[in-house]
Amino acid sequence: MPDGQKIAGRVFVTRDLAPPVIQRLRDEFSEVDVWEPYGPPAPRELAERTTGCVALLTMVSDRVDAALLDAAPTLKVVANMAVGYNNVDIAAAAARGVVITNTPNVLEETTADMAFALMLAVARRVVESDADTRAGNWGLWHPGLWLGNDVHGATLGIVGLGTIGSAVARRAGGFDMRIKYTARNRQSETEAAVGAEYVPDLRDLLGQSDFVSLHVPLTDATRDLIGVPEFRAMKSTAYLINTSRGDVVNTDALLAALQDGAIAGAGIDVTAPEPIPPDHPLLKQSNLVITPHLGSATHATRIRMAMLAAENAIAACTGAPVPNAVTG
Ligand code: GLV
């Protein structure tokens, strides 16, 4: 777009996104500031670079709170490159008239793939046996070696049958799993479409499941949703899979459940805190498969997310309908 027709103002992008996304922003904004270092900006750096901007393109690891918004009174939009937006103080943004957007409908299938990857990896001991093979121990093969548990034919308990939960359920159908779910509101249409049985009570669902997969947003109601009593309700042969948010699970309770055999194992892509400190005792648990918040991390999906975040930022600054404004 010719300079005269560009959005008069700066957008700060908190990571060095793919060139076509940065180019799209350069085509529309008179100024584009990109955070070049590999790691995230510290809160002070984030505030400094956001001051004077009309738009901010953030990641889930960037905290957008009242202090940041107050440092940037010209800000019109925060385009979060994630479907979740628990890193943003929505009420503070609404009070200041700042539009908040997310990136739904482009990452759900990819995240569901990740939930399945964790389920298969932990139940079939893929990571432990990979390490053992690399250590030169294949020669010790024995019929009792690295026994795991079947995913096919098992009962999958899904907590939250939204777009990601239902994508996991569709995959589970291909593995002949029995699919059960719980949700704040019964999802009659979706449950019929994916062949899932509704279990109103979370603890009942936990007690009936061989795999429990979490697909709820982080809110006050879901923080520590899975704690000591919930681990006690699970079968000792069951696995917990978490690709939602780390804070949905109480970390101390998870550690204890893995240590004392209350559950067979866990596959987690998210932790509380995040990142997990390198000396955290969870990392010593061989019955845990852990990945660093990679749910949507494929080449194609990350481009789609970034482009959607860019389109949201552009729309909010040009007065066009904003595709993915969130209200809380
Ligand atoms: C990732 O965690 C997301 O919310 O998209």
Side-chain angles (χ1 to χ4, degrees):
M1 188 175 282
D3 275 1
Q5 292 164 32
K6 287 189 180 181
I7 298 160
R10 186 167 75 243
V11 54
F12 177 45
V13 185
T14 68
R15 286 314 184 286
D16 189 9
L17 300 177
V21 179
I22 300 299
Q23 189 53 51
R24 175 81 184 111
L25 292 167
R26 288 199 200 289
D27 287 345
E28 297 294 329
F29 285 88
S30 63
E31 217 184 316
V32 179
D33 180 19
V34 179
W35 180 256
E36 302 283 355
Y38 186 78
R44 191 180 45 79
E45 293 163 326
L46 179 60
E48 277 170 14
R49 299 280 280 262
T50 306
T51 303
C53 286
V54 292
L56 173 63
L57 200 156
T58 49
M59 313 294 124
V60 275
S61 47
D62 301 317
R63 175 103 211 109
V64 179
D65 54 15
L68 176 67
L69 296 170
D70 285 339
T74 50
L75 202 61
K76 292 189 170 135
V77 57
V78 177
N80 206 38
M81 193 183 123
V83 68
Y85 45 88
N86 54 287
N87 57 310
V88 180
D89 185 336
I90 298 292
R96 289 159 181 77
V98 177
V99 175
I100 305 298
T101 67
N102 69 341
T103 58
N105 308 319
V106 293
L107 55 80
E108 287 72 6
E109 299 296 331
T110 301
T111 305
D113 286 350
M114 190 68 190
F116 247 83
L118 290 170
M119 208 183 302
L120 289 162
V122 69
R124 295 304 308 274
R125 310 184 70 179
V126 172
V127 178
E128 287 174 278
S129 59
D130 174 284
D132 195 53
T133 306
R134 290 169 198 269
N137 290 329
W138 190 323
L140 302 177
W141 194 90
H142 181 278
L145 189 66
W146 295 119
L147 301 186
N149 287 300
D150 285 325
V151 172
H152 76 271
T155 297
L156 171 64
I158 296 178
V159 181
L161 197 65
T163 45
I164 300 176
S166 52
V168 169
R170 278 189 278 102
R171 284 158 179 72
F175 279 75
D176 292 329
M177 297 181 92
R178 185 156 178 214
I179 307 159
K180 302 189 180 202
Y181 82 101
T182 194
R184 210 174 22 167
N185 300 310
R186 185 169 182 168
Q187 305 292 324
S188 303
E189 242 174 69
T190 310
E191 87 184 38
V194 300
E197 177 192 334
Y198 179 56
V199 180
D201 185 72
L202 171 64
R203 297 221 189 136
D204 289 344
L205 180 81
L206 297 176
Q208 294 166 23
S209 303
D210 301 309
F211 294 86
V212 173
S213 195
L214 304 177
H215 301 289
V216 290
L218 176 63
T219 64
D220 289 345
T222 61
R223 190 176 298 279
D224 282 340
L225 185 69
I226 308 295
V228 171
E230 287 72 28
F231 281 114
R232 279 207 195 109
M234 287 177 69
K235 298 182 189 179
S236 60
T237 50
Y239 299 88
L240 180 76
I241 308 300
N242 191 8
T243 52
S244 63
R245 286 292 182 267
D247 286 291
V248 172
V249 176
N250 182 286
T251 303
D252 292 341
L254 171 64
L255 178 62
L258 291 170
Q259 284 175 334
D260 66 21
I263 61 173
I268 61 173
D269 185 47
V270 287
T271 56
E274 203 166 286
I276 190 117
D279 59 349
H280 196 285
L282 262 185
L283 301 178
K284 299 226 166 351
Q285 287 303 126
S286 58
N287 52 354
L288 176 77
V289 173
I290 182 167
T291 50
H293 207 141
L294 301 180
S296 60
T298 65
H299 296 287
T301 294
R302 283 287 161 84
I303 288 271
R304 281 195 290 261
M305 292 166 69
M307 206 51 108
L308 187 52
E311 295 304 339
N312 276 308
I314 293 164
C317 290
T318 55
V322 180
N324 309 112
V326 298
T327 51

